[in-house]
Amino acid sequence: MTTASYIVLEGLEGCGKSTHTKRLGEHLNAVITREPGGTRIGSLLRAILADTENTDLDRRTEALLMAADRAQHMAEVIQPALARGQHVVSDRSIYSTLAYQGYGRQLGTEDLLSISTWALNNRLPDMVIYIDVPTDILNERLAKRDLDRFEREGAEFFARIAQGFTELRSADPQRWIVIDGTMSKDDVEAAIRTAVLDRLGE
């Protein structure tokens, strides 16, 4: 029996994470979840974080709300699933906090890594699928959406986040799998599935 894995999908807004989290999770018969918002309490926190009215939300408050969501997510969803031998596939994880709050909000990663690792009870993701899409293509996709508080941030914010993800991948290459997100949805799905099954030894 394959040991249950904690698999996360990461990337910038509009890269296709939600679609491919669902597709991969269904293929693996995994628990499909997301951060923030994978629990009842997490949904309440997500509403605060995404609300476009909350322009006064301090960047440290934002980071701590993300950590609070993560702690509840680990306790209520991730750890129980792994304990019963079921894979978990999550749309976003600790690496989004490091990229968005660490680089995007310019809080740095040292304290955030410590807080988020504690929130996860020291259980980091086993595998990170990064869906790589150029920002000009993402901007075209976002132009068709009703944007939340994060999606309304400017180009410089997302440039810092993209750089953050690049540095996070470079620091821990064994954990990360980079997928070309400019392919068709079915081709992206196939590439993700092939890479994940290879890592899982299936």
Side-chain angles (χ1 to χ4, degrees):
M1 180 179 170
T2 305
T3 303
S5 289
Y6 173 24
I7 303 165
V8 301
L9 282 82
E10 293 283 11
L12 294 173
E13 308 295 333
C15 73
K17 290 182 306 355
S18 300
T19 295
H20 293 293
T21 296
K22 184 173 184 291
R23 290 188 181 193
L24 177 64
E26 288 175 349
H27 180 73
L28 295 176
N29 191 29
V31 169
I32 300 168
T33 188
R34 68 177 181 173
E35 288 189 11
T39 64
R40 183 188 66 80
I41 289 170
S43 294
L44 298 173
L45 294 171
R46 184 185 182 93
I48 295 169
L49 288 159
D51 191 340
T52 55
E53 296 294 315
N54 290 338
T55 56
D56 55 344
L57 189 66
D58 183 77
R59 57 185 182 162
R60 286 180 175 80
T61 306
E62 178 182 284
L64 289 168
L65 288 173
M66 291 291 187
D69 168 83
R70 187 159 295 126
Q72 187 69 23
H73 196 212
M74 175 55 71
E76 187 176 331
V77 178
I78 301 168
Q79 195 56 56
L82 296 174
R84 63 176 180 264
Q86 190 171 13
H87 296 307
V88 174
V89 179
S90 179
D91 179 348
R92 296 205 181 279
S93 73
I94 181 175
Y95 301 105
S96 281
T97 286
L98 298 178
Y100 276 70
Q101 283 75 48
Y103 288 85
R105 302 292 191 209
Q106 299 178 299
L107 288 172
T109 58
E110 187 176 353
D111 289 339
L112 293 178
L113 179 61
S114 177
I115 291 165
S116 284
T117 303
W118 179 74
L120 285 170
N121 205 16
N122 297 310
R123 181 60 168 90
L124 291 173
D126 299 300
M127 206 181 307
V128 188
I129 313 299
Y130 185 79
I131 302 178
D132 193 19
V133 181
T135 51
D136 56 335
I137 295 175
L138 294 177
N139 289 337
E140 289 176 16
R141 293 180 184 178
L142 290 176
K144 302 170 186 174
R145 284 193 190 181
D146 183 18
L147 304 181
D148 68 20
R149 196 174 63 88
F150 288 101
E151 292 166 342
R152 291 185 179 192
E153 292 288 349
E156 289 184 8
F157 177 70
F158 287 106
R160 291 194 298 270
I161 292 168
Q163 180 62 30
F165 275 127
T166 298
E167 293 183 18
L168 292 168
R169 297 198 307 268
S170 298
D172 192 10
Q174 296 303 310
R175 201 183 304 269
W176 292 71
I177 297 167
V178 180
I179 300 292
D180 178 2
T182 65
M183 301 184 290
S184 71
K185 282 184 183 179
D186 289 345
D187 286 344
V188 172
E189 177 185 5
I192 291 172
R193 185 182 297 183
T194 298
V196 169
L197 293 179
D198 182 59
R199 287 279 183 100
L200 292 174
E202 295 182 7

